[in-house]
């Protein structure tokens, strides 16, 4: 039953992640543009060019605010990571129980006592 829950959570997270790839790419591009505009703004000494860069930076900032739903995609990616991590942990626990000779001995001993 736990595997079914992991499959459902992983499926929903995968659908949300795939649907928000566009805003994620847009957010990455707009934040990169903001970074380069800010760096250029600090290096520029001309007042007119600083005003122009501030206007362009404001427009790019509005564009990056438009892509805020990308955070939901990042959360979905994190949920997928947790599902993957828990899925593998369950496999490791099962393998550990099967390969541990003491657990097998205890199971056989309990069967003999019955």
């Amino acid at each position: 039953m736990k595997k079914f829950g992991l499959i459902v959570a992983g499926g929903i997270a995968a659908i949300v992640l795939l649907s928000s790839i566009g805003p994620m790419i847009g957010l990455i591009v707009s934040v990169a543009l903001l970074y380069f505009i800010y760096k250029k703004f600090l290096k520029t000494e001309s007042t007119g060019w600083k005003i122009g860069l501030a206007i362009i930076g404001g427009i790019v900032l509005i564009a990056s605010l438009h892509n805020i739903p990308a955070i939901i995609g990042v959360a979905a990616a994190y949920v997928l990571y947790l599902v993957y991590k828990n899925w593998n942990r369950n496999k490791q626990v099962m393998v550990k129980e099967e390969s541990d000779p003491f657990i097998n001995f205890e199971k056989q001993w309990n069967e003999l006592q019955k």
Side-chain angles (χ1 to χ4, degrees):
M1 190 68 174
K2 187 172 184 177
K3 296 271 187 187
F4 179 72
L6 289 175
I7 289 172
V8 169
I12 292 171
I15 291 170
V16 169
L17 179 64
L18 288 176
S19 68
S20 64
I21 284 184
M24 289 173 73
I25 293 171
L27 184 64
I28 290 169
V29 170
S30 61
V31 167
L33 282 173
L34 273 175
Y35 174 75
F36 290 122
I37 290 171
Y38 177 72
K39 290 297 235 180
K40 188 72 173 173
F41 181 83
L42 291 180
K43 290 181 183 178
T44 303
E45 296 192 16
S46 168
T47 306
W49 188 234
K50 281 193 176 196
I51 292 172
L53 284 175
I55 292 170
I56 293 171
I59 293 169
V60 174
L61 179 65
I62 291 170
S64 65
L65 291 176
H66 177 69
N67 292 317
I68 287 297
I71 295 173
I72 296 171
V74 172
Y78 181 69
V79 169
L80 274 176
Y81 169 73
L82 290 177
V83 166
Y84 176 76
K85 188 176 173 182
N86 285 333
W87 190 278
N88 285 338
R89 187 181 70 194
N90 291 341
K91 283 183 180 179
Q92 290 173 354
V93 169
M94 290 188 321
V95 169
K96 183 179 177 184
E97 288 179 359
E98 292 173 358
S99 64
D100 190 7
F102 296 108
I103 292 176
N104 288 332
F105 175 75
E106 290 175 7
K107 287 180 185 176
Q108 290 175 353
W109 183 256
N110 288 335
E111 288 176 6
L112 287 175
Q113 286 183 343
K114 289 181 183 179

